[in-house]
Amino acid sequence: MSNKVLVFGHKNPDTDSITSSIVMANLENQLGNEAQAVRTGKINKETEYVFQYLGIEKPELIEDVEDGQEVILVDHNEATQCVNNIANAHIQKVVDHHTMNFVAPYQLYYRAEPVGCTATVLYKMYRENDVEINKTIATLMLSAIISDTLLFKSPTCTPEDQKVAEKLAKIADVNVEEYGKNLLKAGTDISEFTPAEVINIDSKLFEKDGKKFKIAQINTADLDDVFKKQSYFEAAINDEIKQENLDLYVFAATDILNSNSKVISLGNQANVIEKAYGQPLDHNTALLEGVVSRKKQILPKILENLD
Ligand code: MG
Ligand code: MG
Ligand code: MG
């Protein structure tokens, strides 16, 4: 067990989960609390770009936490998305920007704001505590905001995210448009992943009334290119449905240039897509115009329309 409090984001970590762990651990350290950022999964290509750009080390990988471990969660709160054995750890703090599905039988610091990114909340915490934001920390935060808001194009993006990003860009000394496009483009590279890996680059598990489902998302600049491999993705998805007893698997490829998503929907609840969007599935797929956000435009519709 680590003597330090471990700070981490959700499984299948995205840029916000990784960078916010580092940013939060730094804040804790600056305030005199010994903290260490760790990660709960493989770094994706987009996040890889950030580490290469900054030339810094990646956080250490952990598979689970030991009983009694002190932890801080960022960018998530649901146990289904958290590291194994979280029920036996002691959660000191949660800093998040998602729907709350969290209970703890003890007092803790819980902060979630309806903004586009954990980094936006962390920026405010740095300011409230008069802790300096250096160039590296600013670049990490800015990368998370760009990633989570798809360069401010997602409906999850708030004026606050945009304002904070502008301030961070000055400290980071980057051109947001240029850096942002390069960052998002780096994340669309799935050439080195197997179909089973692609469907889990960014998948999240949810449960409602005993129904288990996953929503996975990848970014792309070319939907046709992704769907050339549809049959391989379907095989991987069906395997996972069987192995994990899922009722539904929605795999969304989000076109970051045109702000649409094409989904593959499989499982005994696959038709939830038709109910939610009024669009029948065509060969297990549907093109959802204007849909880019899992949190705002996919998850709530699925929760509402499950049988
Ligand atoms: Mg995230
Ligand atoms: Mg996030
Ligand atoms: Mg995301």
Side-chain angles (χ1 to χ4, degrees):
M1 188 161 75
S2 174
N3 293 330
K4 296 179 177 177
V5 51
L6 299 181
V7 187
F8 49 83
H10 53 77
K11 282 183 182 168
N12 304 319
D14 54 9
T15 298
D16 187 26
S17 263
I18 298 287
T19 61
S20 287
S21 302
I22 301 171
V23 171
M24 182 66 188
N26 179 63
L27 177 62
E28 290 292 311
N29 288 333
Q30 297 296 322
L31 295 173
N33 310 324
E34 278 205 70
Q36 183 192 347
V38 290
R39 62 188 164 92
T40 58
K42 199 174 162 182
I43 301 260
N44 69 31
K45 290 274 180 184
E46 187 192 85
T47 315
E48 190 85 52
Y49 179 88
V50 181
F51 282 97
Q52 269 173 17
Y53 179 87
L54 288 171
I56 60 169
E57 293 290 308
K58 291 168 203 161
E60 197 183 299
L61 176 71
I62 60 163
E63 305 281 342
D64 50 28
V65 285
E66 288 180 50
D67 290 359
Q69 176 67 51
E70 298 289 325
V71 303
I72 294 175
L73 312 186
V74 294
D75 194 37
H76 73 304
N77 67 77
E78 301 198 32
T80 54
Q81 295 163 17
C82 199
V83 74
N84 299 331
N85 199 36
I86 189 64
N88 295 315
H90 181 261
I91 303 169
Q92 288 187 356
K93 299 182 182 182
V94 178
V95 180
D96 192 22
H97 68 120
H98 291 88
T99 319
M100 189 172 166
N101 193 0
F102 182 90
V103 277
Y106 46 83
Q107 286 185 303
L108 74 156
Y109 179 99
Y110 191 102
R111 182 160 177 174
E113 296 192 25
V115 291
C117 184
T118 309
T120 303
V121 185
L122 288 172
Y123 175 87
K124 291 203 262 183
M125 291 171 67
Y126 269 70
R127 290 301 186 225
E128 289 161 12
N129 287 286
D130 284 323
V131 171
E132 193 212 335
I133 297 173
N134 65 30
K135 203 168 164 175
T136 299
I137 294 293
T139 308
L140 291 168
M141 288 191 197
L142 177 64
S143 303
I145 296 175
I146 291 167
S147 169
D148 268 8
T149 67
L150 291 177
L151 202 44
F152 317 122
K153 282 202 286 191
S154 168
T156 56
C157 184
T158 67
E160 209 169 4
D161 298 300
Q162 189 126 22
K163 214 171 73 189
V164 168
E166 280 163 23
K167 289 184 181 160
L168 291 169
K170 281 203 187 104
I171 306 169
D173 194 23
V174 297
N175 177 313
V176 181
E177 279 295 312
E178 193 190 324
Y179 177 78
K181 278 185 184 144
N182 289 336
L183 176 68
L184 293 179
K185 208 177 126 217
T188 65
D189 179 9
I190 54 170
S191 57
E192 285 170 27
F193 296 88
T194 64
E197 286 171 334
V198 170
I199 62 165
N200 277 306
I201 290 174
D202 178 8
S203 69
K204 287 186 180 174
L205 175 67
F206 301 95
E207 277 186 56
K208 192 206 174 191
D209 302 333
K211 299 227 159 52
K212 273 169 72 180
F213 61 99
K214 275 192 179 179
I215 310 175
Q217 190 171 30
I218 60 163
N219 289 341
T220 183
D222 188 347
L223 281 176
D224 292 338
D225 193 49
V226 171
F227 278 81
K228 273 184 204 154
K229 293 191 182 146
Q230 185 182 338
S231 60
Y232 298 98
F233 294 137
E234 287 191 6
I237 291 168
N238 281 323
D239 273 355
E240 209 167 304
I241 287 174
K242 228 182 264 168
Q243 273 167 27
E244 297 185 28
N245 243 325
L246 302 174
D247 296 284
L248 172 71
Y249 201 114
V250 176
F251 171 75
T254 297
D255 181 339
I256 54 172
L257 301 179
N258 300 303
S259 299
N260 297 319
S261 292
K262 188 170 177 181
V263 300
I264 298 174
S265 182
L266 294 169
N268 63 51
Q269 295 279 322
N271 280 326
V272 71
I273 293 295
E274 177 168 0
K275 270 187 267 169
Y277 300 94
Q279 235 173 290
L281 291 175
D282 176 13
H283 296 92
N284 303 322
T285 73
L287 180 70
L288 309 178
E289 302 272 352
V291 171
V292 297
S293 166
R294 168 172 47 204
K295 179 167 44 183
K296 276 212 162 163
Q297 297 170 298
I298 303 178
L299 177 61
K301 290 231 177 207
I302 288 178
L303 288 173
E304 231 174 83
N305 289 286
L306 280 175
D307 262 340

